Amino acid sequence: MAGSDRAAEAPTAHASAPAAPEAVKILIAGGFGVGKTTMVGSVSEIAPLRTEEPLTAAGLDVDDLAGIEEKWATTVALDFGRITIGRELVLYLFGTPGQQRFWFMWNDLAIGALGAVVLVDVRRPESSFAAIDFFERRGIPFVVGVNGFHGRHPYPAEEIREALALPEHVKVLLCDARERGSSRDVLVALIDQLIDAAAGAAAS
């Protein structure tokens, strides 16, 4: 019968579309010239949004280029990228500006962020102290990525942890912000840390 055919062709009531992946906001932070824009660009699966402007003579008295003399541009607002970790998880990455005169933007960028990566340049570790302090004060979980410029890592992770006075629960990872796989490993470590923290909170 025609009515029976139509009933057979109708979709079943319990059929449902696949659930959309959960979106998580992550900040990539650190001092001036530590590799934030490079990390977002290396790991993003979309063309990253960048707000870079050339460094000019007007900033010579403001920007400390010691150790990064080859740097020619700087982020003046944010970097934005996206990476899919799995079927159920997509990370939206927001790179913060590193220069002190743009730090006022960090508060707005941090709204809704579940965690952060603080990049550290071992040649200038003091440049990332402010970022570490920022996330500690606000209770935003973070991991530390030690960016090995030119692939060099002169100090082990635990020695860097001691130098930065980081607690044991904060993961410290040696990385190369130019390499997609290395940057992805840092982000996965952050997600693992967030999951462990959530599990601990649920158990207490």
Side-chain angles (χ1 to χ4, degrees):
M1 295 176 61
S4 298
D5 291 341
R6 284 195 295 271
E9 294 171 359
T12 57
H14 63 269
S16 59
E22 182 177 356
V24 174
K25 180 180 181 180
I26 299 296
L27 298 188
I28 310 296
F32 178 49
V34 297
K36 300 180 295 296
T37 298
T38 299
M39 174 170 275
V40 173
S42 73
V43 78
S44 178
E45 63 196 22
I46 62 173
L49 169 66
R50 293 173 173 165
T51 58
E52 287 190 308
E53 293 293 339
L55 293 170
T56 65
L60 291 179
D61 294 333
V62 180
D63 302 322
D64 182 7
L65 295 178
I68 50 171
E69 291 83 2
E70 72 280 4
K71 188 172 177 61
W72 61 272
T74 185
T75 299
V76 296
L78 59 89
D79 299 308
F80 174 77
R82 183 188 72 199
I83 177 173
T84 300
I85 297 296
R87 289 185 178 182
E88 300 178 352
L89 183 63
V90 174
L91 306 185
Y92 289 99
L93 310 176
F94 291 78
T96 66
Q99 293 155 293
Q100 187 171 356
R101 62 182 182 275
F102 298 126
W103 286 356
F104 68 91
M105 300 182 63
W106 288 24
N107 286 320
D108 289 338
L109 289 173
I111 295 173
L114 290 191
V117 172
V118 175
L119 282 180
V120 172
D121 178 356
V122 292
R123 302 170 301 177
R124 304 173 299 117
E126 69 284 352
S127 67
S128 292
F129 287 167
I132 292 172
D133 183 65
F134 178 88
F135 295 114
E136 285 182 337
R137 287 178 179 271
R138 286 158 182 78
I140 298 175
F142 66 94
V143 299
V144 169
V146 184
N147 188 17
F149 285 81
H150 309 295
R152 298 171 185 166
H153 286 289
Y155 307 106
E158 284 308 308
E159 189 171 333
I160 294 168
R161 176 191 303 281
E162 292 178 10
L164 298 176
L166 294 169
E168 284 298 323
H169 71 272
V170 175
K171 297 181 179 180
V172 178
L173 305 103
L174 305 182
C175 68
D176 187 336
R178 302 168 301 175
E179 299 293 334
R180 176 179 175 83
S182 182
S183 297
R184 189 178 191 275
D185 288 347
V186 174
L187 292 169
V188 169
L190 173 61
I191 295 302
D192 288 343
Q193 183 167 300
L194 293 175
I195 292 173
D196 290 345
S204 61

